[in-house]
Amino acid sequence: MSTQIPGIIRDLLADLLKAPGHSVRVVAPDVGGGFGGKASLYQEEIVVSVLARRLGRTVCWTGDRLEDLASTSQGFDEIVDAELALDNDGRILALAAEVIGDIGAHSIYPWTAALEPVQVVSFMPGPYRVPTYRGHTRAVATCKAPTGPYRGVGRPISTFVMERLIDMAARRLAIDPAEFRLRNLIRAEEFPYKVASGIVWDRSGFVESVTSACAAIGYATLREEQAKARAEGRLVGIGIATYAELTGIGSRISAAPGMPINTGTESATIRLDSSGAVTGNFGIASHGQGLETTLAQVIADELGARIEDIRILQGDSAVVAHSTGTYASRSAVLAGGAATLASRLLKEKVIRAAAHLLEAPVEDIEAAGGMVFVGGTDRSLTFREIAKAVYSELGRMPKDAREELEVTKVYDPHFGTTTSATHIVALEIDPATYKVKLNRYVVAEDCGRVINPMIVDGQVHGAVAQGIGAALYEEVIYDDAGRLLTASLADYAIPTASEVPAIKTVHLETESPSTVGGFRGMGEGGTIGAPAAIANALADALAPLGAEIFELPMTLERLYRLIEKVKAGAQGE
């Protein structure tokens, strides 16, 4: 099935059907994207299983586009009333936020109806020093599709609100928006930092992301170019958004709100078989992130194997004892951490076996590139030769020296780790058509130790494209009778390649102090930073007219009505 959580689905179906666990197997093949919408249990998955048992035959359920848009969980439906208090020097004194979240007709398993409203209010202070914070949230049931996880989960809203407040305050106090952020961001010497909502940020490049993004886009020059464009009457804006998110969450965060399942651990089984091949079994489920490549790289680095000898099995509830899946920017942190621990332990076993075969002390043995060798000599063995000796050539290894060349490790990062980034976008509004053109876009992100820069770039670019959709295009619309009006891709607008600018990515690569391997999650970041950055750029472009941006998506129609309203007000005066 097309799911992000094969392990969760397997466990629940086994319980509901009162069936032996081995009789239920959930396989997620090459899924064309997940984005959170495929991270929940849906009714049809239960119905198909019940019907298959009742009829004693294969049952297939296929949903069309209309059914999918009408019933798949939705996200980002909040109304927020927020206030920010500052001193005359532009330093934050207090923040207050009242959040009302539309959670649809019913709760969604396993995340519950509280998932998004709670995260909106919890992450509102962001990466800033906020001495006093009062946050209150309410979840309201309506006749709409249920609210569930969608890439970013609550943080796009909290970031949009906080970053709009930051820019509004900077304009009120006549302080440059970048400088305003630098005055209020949590600094390196203050980590770990516990924000007023209770979230703890470990060390991350908050300040560095702002300075790096400004340098990459040529911020000072960009402001000069903007001044010239404004003198010509053009609506040109520059927007900044800085955010922090908790990624790779461990058992402490999973258990704290009373989650009905464990989402805080991940397991890895690494095996060297008799042919010398290495197999890694994982509970995660890749749906386009290149996790097979990423995890193979981790194993190759830690074990000393050749990457071409490594096979990754994932997306199958049968390959490990327990799994949940891939969501919440967790897979590189948790699966990568489990892979690191298991590979290190397996490497110790391989080296002990090689030490016996090569008649050398363990401390003199090294492994790299699929070879195990005695340092400073030409004596070596391949992984294949060692495996053959351990498994098949029993005469070469005494009984007490034979190693079991398979290791399973479970990894729990306990709290998780902090990922942060700064987005800067330069855009222009066409005064005749109200079309928004994104001219330049830079992301400076800190996802810890980068495993594969190309994959990280791809994740950033894809997420920013989704963030552009949330900022300018994508909206689920119901009429007054509750009928869905955006029931096809003819009505539900998404950005195409022509609306997505070239995106420059800067990797800060500050290794996480809280995770094995120093990894941080980063799959959701673009959807968190992009809406706020674009909203700030729109407000900056409209500043000469005296307009503000308080709502997303800022569609062509909304932008037209906003500008015409401001013009009408000016004429009335």
Side-chain angles (χ1 to χ4, degrees), residues 199-443:
I199 295 170
V200 177
W201 301 133
D202 62 1
R203 177 171 53 82
S204 187
F206 292 1
V207 171
E208 295 84 350
S209 72
V210 174
T211 56
S212 297
C214 286
I217 204 167
Y219 183 71
T221 302
L222 199 60
R223 285 294 182 190
E224 293 172 1
E225 294 172 356
Q226 180 189 34
K228 294 177 183 177
R230 279 184 171 173
E232 299 169 0
R234 293 161 55 194
L235 299 177
V236 174
I238 301 167
I240 305 175
T242 301
Y243 69 88
E245 58 170 331
L246 197 61
T247 64
I249 62 171
S251 59
R252 180 69 182 88
I253 305 299
S254 172
M259 283 288 293
I261 59 169
N262 163 32
T263 61
T265 65
E266 186 56 64
S267 62
T269 298
I270 314 295
R271 180 179 68 244
L272 177 65
D273 68 25
S274 54
S275 72
V278 177
T279 301
N281 294 341
F282 293 91
I284 51 92
S286 181
H287 37 273
Q289 307 95 317
L291 289 173
E292 300 91 335
T293 300
T294 298
L295 294 174
Q297 287 181 252
V298 172
I299 294 171
D301 288 347
E302 295 293 340
L303 183 59
R306 299 189 308 170
I307 196 166
E308 57 264 36
D309 291 332
I310 301 171
R311 181 190 184 199
I312 303 298
L313 298 180
Q314 50 80 37
D316 186 342
S317 66
V319 302
V320 291
H322 171 262
S323 70
T324 55
T326 294
Y327 47 86
S329 301
R330 74 189 294 269
S331 295
V333 176
L334 274 79
T340 298
L341 295 175
S343 297
R344 288 173 180 173
L345 190 53
L346 180 57
K347 184 177 182 179
E348 292 176 8
K349 292 172 174 280
V350 171
I351 285 178
R352 283 198 298 268
H356 178 83
L357 295 168
L358 293 169
E359 298 180 340
V362 168
E363 55 269 21
D364 291 344
I365 303 295
E366 301 174 28
M371 300 287 296
V372 181
F373 51 89
V374 181
T377 75
D378 59 357
R379 288 186 294 154
S380 64
L381 293 168
T382 65
F383 273 42
R384 181 189 292 262
E385 291 169 330
I386 295 169
K388 188 176 181 181
V390 170
Y391 287 111
S392 301
E393 299 173 345
L394 302 185
R396 296 182 64 187
M397 301 280 291
K399 182 179 179 181
D400 59 358
R402 292 179 208 149
E403 296 280 355
E404 181 183 0
L405 301 181
E406 181 172 327
V407 172
T408 296
K409 292 295 291 184
V410 176
Y411 176 53
D412 178 3
H414 196 52
F415 280 103
T417 189
T418 304
T419 298
S420 59
T422 292
H423 292 221
I424 303 181
V425 59
L427 58 76
E428 183 167 0
I429 302 171
D430 187 327
T433 65
Y434 303 96
K435 173 76 173 176
V436 177
K437 180 174 174 37
L438 306 179
N439 295 317
R440 298 179 65 184
Y441 206 110
V442 166
V443 178

Side-chain angles (χ1 to χ4, degrees), residues 51-299:
L51 290 176
R53 290 188 74 192
R54 181 72 59 87
L55 299 175
R57 58 178 293 181
T58 299
V59 175
C60 177
W61 184 90
T62 303
D64 62 22
R65 181 68 66 189
L66 188 152
E67 291 170 319
D68 185 70
L69 285 169
S71 62
T72 295
S73 66
Q74 299 168 8
F76 302 177
D77 197 356
E78 272 78 28
I79 299 172
V80 182
D81 184 4
E83 298 175 279
L84 191 65
L86 307 106
D87 65 17
N88 291 329
D89 294 323
R91 287 181 170 78
I92 296 171
L93 299 177
L95 170 68
E98 183 78 26
V99 179
I100 300 176
D102 184 338
I103 53 88
H106 55 81
S107 191
I108 195 163
Y109 187 89
W111 312 108
T112 79
L115 176 70
E116 188 165 295
V118 166
Q119 294 215 53
V120 171
V121 78
S122 297
F123 285 93
M124 192 71 70
Y128 301 100
R129 291 186 300 274
V130 180
T132 303
Y133 173 52
R134 179 180 61 80
H136 179 255
T137 187
R138 287 176 289 169
V140 180
T142 68
C143 63
K144 300 176 185 177
T147 293
Y150 176 80
R151 197 173 189 176
V153 188
R155 285 153 293 181
I157 295 93
S158 61
T159 301
F160 165 62
V161 173
M162 189 63 179
E163 292 302 294
R164 283 272 50 236
L165 289 172
I166 291 288
D167 261 33
M168 290 165 67
R171 184 170 292 116
R172 177 82 62 89
L173 296 171
I175 301 173
D176 180 84
E179 169 60 26
F180 190 96
R181 286 168 171 80
L182 292 174
R183 292 186 190 184
N184 289 283
L185 286 168
I186 299 161
R187 308 190 77 81
E189 63 272 15
E190 298 177 277
F191 293 117
Y193 188 95
K194 186 174 183 178
V195 300
S197 61
I199 295 170
V200 177
W201 301 133
D202 62 1
R203 177 171 53 82
S204 187
F206 292 1
V207 171
E208 295 84 350
S209 72
V210 174
T211 56
S212 297
C214 286
I217 204 167
Y219 183 71
T221 302
L222 199 60
R223 285 294 182 190
E224 293 172 1
E225 294 172 356
Q226 180 189 34
K228 294 177 183 177
R230 279 184 171 173
E232 299 169 0
R234 293 161 55 194
L235 299 177
V236 174
I238 301 167
I240 305 175
T242 301
Y243 69 88
E245 58 170 331
L246 197 61
T247 64
I249 62 171
S251 59
R252 180 69 182 88
I253 305 299
S254 172
M259 283 288 293
I261 59 169
N262 163 32
T263 61
T265 65
E266 186 56 64
S267 62
T269 298
I270 314 295
R271 180 179 68 244
L272 177 65
D273 68 25
S274 54
S275 72
V278 177
T279 301
N281 294 341
F282 293 91
I284 51 92
S286 181
H287 37 273
Q289 307 95 317
L291 289 173
E292 300 91 335
T293 300
T294 298
L295 294 174
Q297 287 181 252
V298 172
I299 294 171

